[in-house]
Amino acid sequence: MLSRPKPGESEVDLLRFQSQFLAAGAAPAVQLVKKGSRRGANANLDQPLLQDHRDTVMLDCLPDLPPALLPAPPKRAKPSPGYPLSDNEDTEERLNRHDQHITAVLTKIIERDTSSVAVNLPVPSGVAFPPVFHRSQGRQRKPAVSGKRSIFAQEIAARRVSEASVPPGRGVVSTVDPQEGAVTCESLTPREKYHQLPRGSHNFQGPHLVTGKGLRGQEAEQEAQTIHEENIARLQAMTSEEILQERQRLLAQLDPSLVAFLRSRSCTREQAEEKATEEQRPGGPSVEVTGEEPIMTTSSSEPRHEDEPEPGSPALALPVAPSKEWLHMDTVELDKLHWTQDLPPLRRQRTHERMQARFSLQGELLAPDVDLPTHLGLHHHGEEAERAGYSLQELFHLTRSQVSQQRALALHVLAQVISRAQAGEFGDRLAGSVLHLLLDAGFLFLLRFSLDDRVDGVIAAAVRTLRALLVVPGDEELLDSTFSWYHGALVFPLMPSQQDKEDEDEDEELSGEKAKKKSPEEGNQPPSDLARHDVIKGLLATNLLARLRYVLEVTCPGPSVVLDILAVLIRLARHSLESATRVLECPRLIETVVREFLPTSWSPIGIGPTPSLHKVPCAAAMKLLRVLASAGRNIAARLLSSFDVRSCLCRFIAEAPQELTLPPEEAEMLNTETFRLWAVAASYGQGGDLYRELYPVLIRALQVMPTELSAHHPQPLSMQRIASLLTVLTQLTLAASSTTCKPSSDSSEASLLATPSVVTWTQVSGLQPLVEPCLRQTLKLLPRPEMWSALGPVPTACLLFLDAYYQAWSRQSDLCPEDWLQDTERLSEELLLPLLSQPALASLWDSLGRCSLLCNPQSCAPAPEALRSLVSLGCMGGCPALSLAGSASPFPVLTSLLCLFNTLARIHKGLCGQLAVVLAAPGLQNYFLQCVAPRAAPPLTPFSAWALRHEYHLQYLALILAQRAATLQSMPATSAALHHGVALALLSRLLPGSEHLVLELLLSCVFRLEFLPERASGGPEAADFSDRLSLGSSRDPGFGRGGLLAQACQDLPSVRSCYLTHCSLAQPSLKASQALYRGELQRIPALLLPLPKEPLLPTDWPFLPLVHLYHQASDAPSGLPPADAVGTAMRALQWVLLLESWRPQALWAVPPAARLARLMCVFLVDSELFRETPIQHLVAAVLARLCQPEVLPKLNLDCPLPGLASFPDLYANFLEHFEAVSFGDHLFGALVLLPLQRRFSVNLRLALFGEHVGALRALGLPLTQLPVSLECYTEPPEDNLALLQLYFRALVTSALRPHWCPVLYAVTVAHINTFIFSQDPKSSDEVKAARRSMLQKTWLLADEGLRQHLLHYKLPNSTLPEGFELYPQLPPLRQQYLQRLTSGMPQNGVLETEYSRYG
């Protein structure tokens, strides 16, 4: 007996057991039975088993190695035992012969012949798709008896008929035959049938009440029909009189409500039958009516009649006629074939009505009347089917399609539309903004949903569309090309700066602690709310960064998708420090970028398109790191330390671009971005250790630089790389100079600055001999404009390097100053002074005005699709050549040249006079004249903020050079005054980030006597002479304007100290700005500037001390005046008077009304300040300047004033203060009277005569001291009835007397006289009655003098004591009018009680 295998036995034992079993020939313990074929009928289960065919295992036949993992050969079908295959038979033919597939069944279908069936054509509806019928609609309306209905609708109607218990035999006429003479039912309505039947001839059409409901199926119908026949037999056996009697008996017995119900049901049925009969009459196929409605058969063997066309209706024009041989076309439903018709004719637009915008597949806006062929694929839409193109709504709908190709196509079209809209291609052809419409419709989150798609093509299209929305290509090109400018690496954050008014008010009121508490609340807002104000914040709130990281790391997309994602990340990093930090801290995002797209080793790339960017160096990835590093020094430090960016810098700088195994352009861009990243790190004092390692590479690059510059056609990418290299060397040179900077008193800054720089002066001192020849070579190309513009930023970078070199050299305390002094003299004699005499340089100065943004404000118009929630520079189409950022712009070169001149003049004062000759260039003088000319400031947009910052750099450097020259030698008076005007204008224009420039202008230029040549050229005397000519000799000569101006010039240092105190800036921002402009690298926090919401100083900054005094007095709880209020007010008034007299253009931006309001603050500080003699004289002088004939017409108190909520409220406060503390002060009264002129708001006069009438007694200003003409108060005549009544009341109650208030007495008498004698026929009845009453009361006045003045007033005359002239006797017309109204009335004091009523 064979034993079974046991555990532990090997394969050899198993083979031995098998041999023994086969040799013994024993029967197996298990019998294998093969089941029959699945074709059960052909299986032969009785066939004996093949005992001699056994499976055996032979190790000798098995190969020694396992089989290779290759695709297996195609399997051949194993023949079934019942169906042996012959070698000569074709397998395909045998398969077709025995195939039992469903297609074999379908091919044998013989369709019904419908050629003789009439078809009803549907009426053309004018739309592409017929309306869809829903079952729920059938419950609300009755089924139509005739007309075109689909099969579905007919089945529903038939089902309802069967549910209504209609007998199946109702398709024929009732078995009861009508008698002779009966009218057939086919020609009469149901109601007519009942009344037209003769006696005994009743033709009932089935049961109306008994339906058999409740019984089973067929029994119910049979029972109902039996009852109906019995009723018919009984009625036919009765006479008409018996029927009427029985009817009356039933009506008396039944409930009236039940009778009303039965009647309403009968009427409803009759109306339906009448309608059916009327519809069947006109020529159509007649249907025999046997009950309530005809039964439409649903059998497919009978022809349908509802689809037959109505007589006279046009046939449906189909491109292909339906054939009965087609599958499921036995019933032709023409309504469902409308979509196969040709498109309707294009509707021509005859009016200017707005039409829906439609776009092509390339994003082009199609004209409404454009006729394009259908094969272009632009007509696959239902709405406006005849028009080509797709609307935004249709594209939105297509993005959610179930077909991935359709989703990708829709996103591609939307990306093209966005790009063209940002480029301004649509112009004014669209009503509204495309981007506004898209964002309001939720397009942002549609993109975010598309990024989560599973199809790579859809993800790629979504990323491309997101890039089109967020990234403006021209912006990145602009910022990259200006990186090597003077402070070109510093940029403003691209985030919204304007918020809702309520948010702005809350931000102003919140303190620092409250502002910190506000950020978590913003984080809790939903992404939709965030995106409404800031698109970038809304996207970041949707976990966008993690998804982009997943796409880069896991899906490994193509090169275009990678570049799009990197461009989006760059845009997110430019948004703000917060966004850059989130990009940096996104898990594995930066690691993936560095690992996949900045590898230090990669396979060589062949010629042609790159199949994948993974494991290949990418310049965009290096740029992303550079933009992140620009956001803050901590981010730059983390990139260098945590992500091993140092090795990337060494790897891509060590080899020249032509030696990198990359495409040439990509290698140039990668090398350039690497230099820029190193320059950003070096601007923080980081990455200096790489200089020692890469020193040979840098020297070799400098040595070959002249060769590259001497090329006949310099390559733009090469010029950008050279400029970036020079920028790195500039920052490293500044790092060498920062080792000797004096630390500040702050302990943290002291410890920071005490850290020695890795780069020393000895390591960079040898760079100047290599850079200076490059500068000489570039300056030789200056007379050739085409070659000069091709150099790009290289000359600018060379000049900035020399500036940093001499600046660092002068800071080396252990070196001999004679060395750098001699070298600066050599440079100026050999290079700079010859340059100043070149005509080509003069042409650069002449082009300043043409390229200036200040001189051409219209050039900085907002982009066509500018969004407040998505900030961009708007450089979609590039910058023109003659613009600040254009290729022919002189600003970068001239700014760097002035920067070098300032450094040389500072360290070598002997060169200052020689270098200051550049300030006398006619082009620069004309440019300065245009800058100080009264013109509207350009709007503050992101691009204008960026461009104006570079323009302000040139102005500032020129002013500093002029100031240095003015301290050493005299300057022409015209040039000094011009420079002072430019300094004043620049001071109120500088944007955040330029706090250091503001402080330097206040210290050195604005309050410098050398810039006030009028003080030494008879300016004070000329002022006195002018005042005497205009005001007469009544003013005291000792306190004239000339003396005040002379005293102001003497007190100019005190004035400067006052404004340095009140124009103070935030210390953190000031320190950061000082570190940037002084080259103190260890103190630079970031290269991202503050948000440019508004200029640092307001346009009315000369009045800031007065405004601060007013606020301090208002906020003081004790009511005590602020400390040194007299000194502060006097210094501010001195400076305002000086500007009003000698620099009026500096106050052009401040409206005269705003100046008057600031001047009124002096009187509101306390009750004693305005009484000080110096204050009195200064205020009077300033007020006289405001009342000049050329200024007074511009005084408008009715318009909104900057910095003032409401002038009427201020004036009411002013009146209250005057009534309380003035004690008849004439200067105070002059300011009260000035807003009461006739052309100003009547509310100001009503406030005085209505609420503060007691102040009239203190307004004792003489007519001769009135600063304006009396006619300003009397003309035109007053037309406000309420004010006239207050005037009359003040006069008759003696509240207004000529010796108390001579000015207003004359004014009120003039207006009352004009009013009571006016005879305007257009006046209302109320005015006429008031005029008669006032004249009659004037006639009855007891005060003879007042009555004489009111009746005999003639003209205003300020030289007379009363202020006006009188008629000796009234003119005849007035006399007659007066007699007509006062005839029969007493005179002189008869109505004393009437007067007392006014009191």
Side-chain angles (χ1 to χ4, degrees), residues 1119-1343:
L1120 296 176
D1124 195 22
V1126 177
T1128 301
M1130 186 173 65
R1131 304 309 176 197
L1133 290 172
Q1134 284 179 329
W1135 180 245
V1136 171
L1137 178 61
L1138 191 146
L1139 295 180
E1140 289 278 4
S1141 302
W1142 293 340
R1143 300 290 181 268
Q1145 70 275 6
L1147 298 177
W1148 178 85
V1150 185
R1155 299 183 223 169
L1156 177 63
R1158 271 70 172 171
L1159 201 60
M1160 294 167 64
C1161 294
V1162 178
F1163 296 85
L1164 296 175
V1165 172
D1166 60 10
S1167 60
E1168 299 295 334
L1169 178 62
F1170 66 91
R1171 302 182 189 279
E1172 299 292 336
T1173 303
I1175 302 297
Q1176 287 269 329
H1177 295 319
L1178 290 169
V1179 171
V1182 175
L1183 182 61
R1185 303 303 299 172
L1186 289 177
C1187 296
Q1188 285 184 319
E1190 61 270 15
V1191 180
L1192 193 60
K1194 302 177 183 177
L1195 184 65
N1196 186 6
L1197 302 178
D1198 299 333
C1199 64
L1201 301 178
L1204 190 63
S1206 172
F1207 185 83
D1209 295 342
L1210 176 66
Y1211 187 70
N1213 190 12
F1214 195 71
L1215 285 177
E1216 182 179 355
H1217 199 69
F1218 171 79
E1219 192 175 3
V1221 303
S1222 67
F1223 297 102
D1225 184 79
H1226 289 177
L1227 184 60
F1228 207 155
L1231 283 172
V1232 171
L1233 292 174
L1234 192 61
L1236 299 178
Q1237 299 178 50
R1238 177 64 182 88
R1239 60 192 180 95
F1240 297 140
S1241 174
V1242 69
N1243 295 326
L1244 303 178
R1245 299 187 290 278
L1246 287 172
L1248 175 60
F1249 284 89
E1251 302 174 7
H1252 301 279
V1253 69
L1256 296 174
R1257 187 166 184 173
L1259 282 172
L1261 180 70
L1263 290 167
T1264 56
Q1265 296 184 17
L1266 188 63
V1268 297
S1269 174
L1270 189 60
E1271 284 76 8
C1272 296
Y1273 297 88
T1274 59
E1275 296 296 336
E1278 185 63 60
D1279 55 357
N1280 187 278
L1281 182 59
L1283 182 58
L1284 289 169
Q1285 292 174 347
L1286 291 176
Y1287 283 170
F1288 190 72
R1289 175 182 176 180
L1291 289 173
V1292 299
T1293 57
S1294 298
L1296 180 60
R1297 299 181 182 181
H1299 59 279
W1300 286 353
C1301 184
V1303 176
L1304 291 184
Y1305 180 82
V1307 172
T1308 54
V1309 167
H1311 287 302
I1312 294 297
N1313 176 268
T1314 306
F1315 176 70
I1316 61 178
F1317 284 108
S1318 64
Q1319 301 181 27
D1320 186 6
K1322 298 181 180 179
S1323 302
S1324 62
D1325 295 338
E1326 181 184 4
V1327 173
K1328 292 178 181 179
R1331 182 184 301 120
R1332 288 193 301 267
S1333 175
M1334 196 175 295
L1335 179 57
Q1336 292 172 356
K1337 291 176 181 178
T1338 303
W1339 178 255
L1340 298 175
L1341 283 175
D1343 188 348

Side-chain angles (χ1 to χ4, degrees), residues 583-621:
V583 173
L584 179 71
E585 295 179 350
C586 180
R588 301 201 313 276
L589 177 59
I590 301 301
E591 291 91 335
T592 301
V593 171
V594 175
R595 181 182 67 252
E596 299 293 337
F597 309 110
L598 291 176
T600 55
S601 60
W602 63 93
S603 301
I605 299 178
I607 301 175
T610 305
S612 175
L613 285 183
H614 285 71
K615 301 301 180 182
V616 176
C618 181

Side-chain angles (χ1 to χ4, degrees), residues 207-430:
H208 286 264
L209 299 178
V210 181
T211 60
K213 186 176 181 181
L215 302 178
R216 289 179 298 176
Q218 190 69 19
E219 296 180 1
E221 297 178 357
Q222 294 178 357
E223 187 67 22
Q225 185 67 20
T226 302
I227 295 174
H228 175 62
E229 293 175 355
E230 292 178 357
N231 292 337
I232 291 176
R234 178 174 295 183
L235 288 174
Q236 289 179 349
M238 298 173 63
T239 62
S240 300
E241 292 77 5
E242 294 175 348
I243 293 176
L244 292 176
Q245 292 178 0
E246 189 67 21
R247 178 175 180 274
Q248 295 295 335
R249 186 178 64 82
L250 289 175
L251 292 176
Q253 294 178 354
L254 294 177
D255 187 5
S257 61
L258 178 60
V259 174
F261 168 74
L262 295 176
R263 285 178 175 176
S264 64
R265 184 175 180 183
S266 176
C267 292
T268 304
R269 294 176 182 271
E270 291 176 0
Q271 292 176 0
E273 292 170 355
E274 291 175 3
K275 182 178 180 181
T277 305
E278 293 175 357
E279 292 177 355
Q280 292 176 359
R281 282 179 182 175
S286 61
V287 181
E288 293 178 334
V289 180
T290 59
E292 300 175 1
E293 58 182 359
I295 298 178
M296 300 300 176
T297 176
T298 58
S299 174
S300 60
S301 60
E302 298 180 5
R304 299 184 182 272
H305 299 284
E306 64 267 12
D307 285 341
E308 295 181 1
E310 297 180 358
S313 62
L316 187 64
L318 300 179
V320 178
S323 175
K324 64 179 182 180
E325 298 180 357
W326 294 354
L327 182 63
H328 298 316
M329 289 300 291
D330 53 344
T331 301
V332 178
E333 298 178 83
L334 298 180
D335 282 346
K336 297 183 179 179
L337 297 179
H338 270 288
W339 66 275
T340 62
Q341 286 182 287
D342 292 337
L343 293 175
L346 188 64
R347 181 170 61 91
R348 300 294 178 180
Q349 185 180 9
R350 298 181 179 179
T351 62
H352 295 285
E353 63 178 355
R354 295 180 178 179
M355 304 185 69
Q356 192 175 35
R358 294 193 172 274
F359 304 90
S360 67
L361 299 181
Q362 289 75 33
E364 301 171 344
L365 179 63
L366 300 178
D369 55 351
V370 64
D371 192 5
L372 297 178
T374 57
H375 71 270
L376 298 178
L378 300 177
H379 295 80
H380 297 290
H381 51 82
E383 187 177 357
E384 298 179 335
E386 70 277 5
R387 290 185 57 194
Y390 300 96
S391 64
L392 295 179
Q393 292 86 343
E394 292 164 352
L395 292 174
F396 261 59
H397 184 73
L398 197 60
T399 56
R400 308 310 300 163
S401 170
Q402 294 184 355
V403 182
S404 60
Q405 291 86 349
Q406 292 180 352
R407 298 198 299 271
L409 176 63
L411 292 172
H412 169 74
V413 175
L414 287 173
Q416 296 291 332
V417 170
I418 292 173
S419 299
R420 295 179 182 274
Q422 290 178 342
E425 292 187 10
F426 301 148
D428 56 352
R429 293 186 293 168
L430 291 179

Side-chain angles (χ1 to χ4, degrees), residues 684-732:
Y684 301 128
Q686 304 171 4
D689 53 340
L690 298 176
Y691 178 70
R692 188 177 305 169
E693 302 177 14
L694 298 174
Y695 183 80
V697 178
L698 299 177
I699 296 299
R700 184 172 63 251
L702 289 176
Q703 291 174 349
V704 301
M705 192 181 300
T707 305
E708 298 182 10
L709 294 175
S710 61
H712 185 65
H713 295 288
Q715 298 298 323
L717 293 178
S718 300
M719 298 300 103
Q720 291 289 339
R721 175 177 54 82
I722 293 174
S724 302
L725 170 60
L726 293 173
T727 304
V728 172
L729 298 179
T730 301
Q731 298 298 329
L732 294 174

